[in-house]
Amino acid sequence: MNKILFILQREYLTRVKKKSFIIMSFVGPLLMAAMFVIPVLVATMEDDEQLKIAVLNEGDTYKDKLKNTEAINFEYVKNKSLEQLKADFFKKEFDAILSIPSDLESSPDKLTIYSENQIKLSTLSYISNSLEDEIEAKRMSIKGINKEMLDSIKTDLSINTITWNEEGEENESSTELSMAIGFISAMIIYMFIFMYGAQVMRGVMEEKTGRIVEIIISSVKPFELMMGKILGIALVALTQFALWIVLTFAIVMGANFAIASGDKQPTITELSQGTSTANVEQMLEKSDSGMAGIMKKIYNLPYGMILFSFIFYFIGGYLLYASLFAAIGGAVDNETDTQQFMLPITVPLILSIIMVQAIIQNPNGSIAFWFSMIPFTSPIIMIIRVGFGVAWWEMALSMFLLIITFIGTTWVAAKIYRTGILLYGKKVTYKELWKWLKY
Amino acid sequence: MSLLSTENVIKKYANHLALDKVSISVEEGHIFGLLGPNGAGKTSLIRIINQITAPDEGKVYFKGNVLSLKDISQIGYLPEERGLYKKMKIGEQAIYLAQLKGMPKHEAVEKLKSWFRKFEIQDWWNKKVEELSKGMQQKIQFIVTIVHEPKLLIFDEPFSGFDPINANLLKSEILNLKAAGSTIIFSTHNMSSVEELCDEIALISNGKTILNGSLFDIKNQFKPNIFEIQFAKSFNKMEFAMNSFFDLLSVEHQKNDIISTKVKLKENATTNDLIQIGLKAGTILSFNEIIPSMNDIFIDIVNQQGKKQTA
């Protein structure tokens, strides 16, 4: 037992001290943080230049209906024809010319904008939205509908989703939130199983092809060497994961602070949710429960359960696959030979990732049930279902099956590993592996 | 007293018998040569002694008791297929391997440093293995094998990869270890080093022990009773050839008028009979018994085995 600790320690330290690990630990969070930070930076940069648009509107039918924004400045031009404006365009007085026909409401396809460079989509949609509102208002007044009447008819529905259990406890939950958490957790588990499973395999192959293994197993049992390696790399994975969370959080918070203190721009957290302060207020007005309700929904997710099952399936899934990866590494002599044995291992993993979409749509269907029971897919499928609520017996059965299978695959892997690591220069077939199991 | 012995060890693999009732006995403080052609089963036997694999039948005894996992720390093994972690620093790696043999860290550091001083390689301590040449790596490997001061050392082709100077250094270290009381199992195809180092040998072929005993006894057993007698100048061939004690095999005129003859002594004849006849035939310059080298014995026996197998 003591010797497993030495092996574990070596496996852990040599990997954590590697440059690639340190780089990955920083680059990973940077990439993740960039997903939040860059849109905001782009948004703040856009504001640097104001777009100056000349508006040509015969008869002033839409005069002053386009409000200036921080990004766009509309200037109504009189006494000049479109041809004159076009002729003078390259004097760079304006960035674009917007031509609004006087009878836009009856010929909406005649709205035209001229520019040297392509106009941004956000600018175009701002113009069309503003004018659409105006046209609607005009048409309404023609048909004799007034605005108050319309507002009183309009409804905005949001469904409250409430789950409850046999004890009668009711939980207000959010399907979107469950989906997001399930999806992200599944992706992380998938990614880590692949990344670190492959590391186990490469580690075993390094020892075999480097001819170190015979020296080591004259001191420790092959099983101890294999388990020490699997557990050591598991710790590396957990370390990396923890670093990513902490660093991503730190970078996002840091950037948030820097930008927010720079000027009065909306903060990243607000923008990343796609909501400016105004929007949030609007949302709150619409929603009966308001801010407190949203908080309640977030609070009501089964966090303890999600966290527990995430850690369980993260470790369980890794252990299950890592032992198989170790067996492959032990059986083959070089990287190219791994392909034929990798296939049966990667198929269930990739299958479960393909199914994620279907499971999210129907987290309690029979497909979801069965694939969350099969231990080779359960680490990814079950974690998606947890956010939506899973019966305790299903959870227990799935975990039990995972543990049993993990013990089984480790036993099988140890047998293959034990024989394989001492065989050099032999191309191994499935038939051969089957024989090793019976030694 | 024997430190290690095997008793009718049998090891089967899927389609062949690697070891067929192999019994050897290694005396404490001796160097034991384990010989045999490629694929004879030497590595299988060594792996069983190292408890890397277990025998299907038969027993292995260490210090009189059945070999068990606790004996691992008393055995040092330098396998034929050997290597080190390329990216790991040499000092760290040596400490790690010593710890796996059950050595406490501080003791490992102390012993390793003194060995590094002895081999004058202190400045390698913080280098990575990949920075060293193959021969340099072999030195580290040797140190790692012996640093935990095991009672039993197993060297499988220890001289491969060494230049003659370092091979001699290694040879003298092996003799030092023997003098300090270690028992050594030495497996090699290099027969001259067997003759230099070994006290006893066992020859394994096709999974069977076909020779086992002290180097001296075996050489005696295989000497062909051939003698070389050199005469100065004149030599009466007729007189020398006509006798009932031996057969004259060859006569060769060498430079400086030396005549060299080879004879095979018949059974019941002694060397004295040979010399008496020689004295009558001419002036004897020298008299030698031709003793076969281990190389000759090895080739002879393995070839005989092969013929028996095919017959």
Side-chain angles (χ1 to χ4, degrees), chain A residues 315-378:
Chain A
I315 294 173
Y318 164 80
L319 290 178
L320 175 69
Y321 279 100
S323 60
L324 293 175
F325 274 111
I328 295 178
V332 302
D333 254 340
N334 54 57
E335 197 94 36
T336 47
D337 287 349
T338 60
Q339 303 301 335
Q340 56 161 335
F341 299 116
M342 285 281 278
L343 191 70
I345 293 186
T346 48
V347 163
L349 273 176
I350 291 171
L351 184 69
S352 29
I353 272 301
I354 293 171
M355 298 223 306
V356 163
Q357 204 61 39
I359 304 294
I360 284 181
Q361 298 300 325
N362 188 6
N364 286 309
S366 61
I367 294 179
F369 173 79
W370 286 109
F371 281 91
S372 60
M373 289 302 134
I374 299 169
F376 291 93
T377 52
S378 68

Side-chain angles (χ1 to χ4, degrees), chain B residues 231-294:
Chain B
F231 294 95
K233 286 179 187 171
S234 62
F235 154 71
N236 187 340
K237 189 174 173 185
M238 286 303 286
E239 183 106 5
F240 191 58
M242 299 294 286
N243 71 80
S244 56
F245 298 112
F246 56 83
D247 297 320
L248 182 60
L249 298 177
S250 68
V251 177
E252 197 183 330
H253 290 267
Q254 293 173 332
K255 52 186 175 180
N256 302 329
D257 293 334
I258 292 171
I259 297 150
S260 175
T261 65
K262 274 189 186 144
V263 302
K264 183 169 171 63
L265 215 58
K266 285 180 180 161
E267 264 177 74
N268 304 324
T270 67
T271 46
N272 279 359
D273 301 326
L274 172 60
I275 291 169
Q276 267 170 14
I277 292 183
L279 287 172
K280 287 175 199 159
T283 315
I284 296 176
L285 266 184
S286 73
F287 172 81
N288 274 317
E289 182 172 12
I290 307 256
I291 294 174
S293 67
M294 260 326 285

Side-chain angles (χ1 to χ4, degrees), chain B residues 74-293:
Chain B
Q74 301 201 51
I75 299 178
Y77 174 37
L78 183 69
E80 183 178 6
E81 296 281 7
R82 49 185 175 253
L84 296 161
Y85 291 105
K86 291 202 163 41
K87 304 265 177 206
M88 216 174 160
K89 282 181 182 160
I90 287 157
E92 263 174 48
Q93 179 151 205
I95 292 170
Y96 171 62
L97 292 172
Q99 279 179 315
L100 289 187
K101 279 287 183 190
M103 235 181 159
K105 188 172 180 177
H106 59 93
E107 202 186 323
V109 174
E110 204 176 292
K111 288 269 159 57
L112 283 167
K113 293 247 175 185
S114 85
W115 274 105
F116 274 52
R117 262 197 304 281
K118 192 169 182 184
F119 279 34
E120 295 176 347
I121 52 173
Q122 296 101 306
D123 51 330
W124 293 1
W125 188 267
N126 277 319
K127 278 191 183 165
K128 282 184 181 169
V129 171
E130 56 189 356
E131 295 171 54
L132 299 185
S133 74
K134 189 148 186 258
M136 290 164 152
Q137 292 183 26
Q138 301 279 33
K139 269 192 193 173
I140 308 287
Q141 210 110 45
F142 179 76
I143 294 175
V144 164
T145 310
I146 59 173
V147 70
H148 60 290
E149 297 175 347
K151 288 294 292 173
L152 177 67
L153 280 159
I154 303 169
F155 295 124
D156 197 348
E157 289 294 352
F159 301 116
S160 71
F162 278 103
D163 62 42
I165 296 168
N166 280 314
N168 270 337
L169 181 75
L170 195 67
K171 224 173 264 177
S172 68
E173 278 311 326
I174 290 177
L175 289 172
N176 283 346
L177 287 167
K178 182 191 172 185
S182 292
T183 308
I184 295 161
I185 295 178
F186 178 44
S187 171
T188 185
H189 292 305
N190 181 342
M191 292 302 149
S192 65
S193 60
V194 171
E195 292 191 50
E196 262 178 90
L197 296 171
C198 293
D199 300 301
E200 282 96 32
I201 63 155
L203 202 156
I204 298 178
S205 182
N206 283 318
K208 292 191 180 71
T209 348
I210 50 176
L211 257 189
N212 191 359
S214 81
L215 192 68
F216 181 78
D217 289 345
I218 285 173
K219 286 187 115 178
N220 261 343
Q221 183 189 331
F222 280 87
K223 66 183 178 189
N225 254 355
I226 292 177
F227 295 84
E228 183 187 48
I229 304 174
Q230 287 185 322
F231 294 95
K233 286 179 187 171
S234 62
F235 154 71
N236 187 340
K237 189 174 173 185
M238 286 303 286
E239 183 106 5
F240 191 58
M242 299 294 286
N243 71 80
S244 56
F245 298 112
F246 56 83
D247 297 320
L248 182 60
L249 298 177
S250 68
V251 177
E252 197 183 330
H253 290 267
Q254 293 173 332
K255 52 186 175 180
N256 302 329
D257 293 334
I258 292 171
I259 297 150
S260 175
T261 65
K262 274 189 186 144
V263 302
K264 183 169 171 63
L265 215 58
K266 285 180 180 161
E267 264 177 74
N268 304 324
T270 67
T271 46
N272 279 359
D273 301 326
L274 172 60
I275 291 169
Q276 267 170 14
I277 292 183
L279 287 172
K280 287 175 199 159
T283 315
I284 296 176
L285 266 184
S286 73
F287 172 81
N288 274 317
E289 182 172 12
I290 307 256
I291 294 174
S293 67

Side-chain angles (χ1 to χ4, degrees), chain A residues 3 10 207 211 214-215, chain B residues 47 77 81 83 85 100 141:
Chain A
K3 286 178 179 175
R10 193 202 82 87
E207 278 167 0
R211 305 289 194 256
E214 195 156 350
I215 293 176
Chain B
R47 281 180 181 167
Y77 174 37
E81 296 281 7
Y85 291 105
L100 289 187
Q141 210 110 45

Side-chain angles (χ1 to χ4, degrees), chain A residues 8-25:
Chain A
L8 191 152
Q9 193 186 13
R10 193 202 82 87
E11 297 293 337
Y12 181 77
L13 289 178
T14 50
R15 282 186 173 75
V16 169
K17 281 195 267 176
K18 264 189 194 163
K19 276 192 201 97
S20 58
F21 177 87
I22 296 165
I23 292 169
M24 267 305 277
S25 299

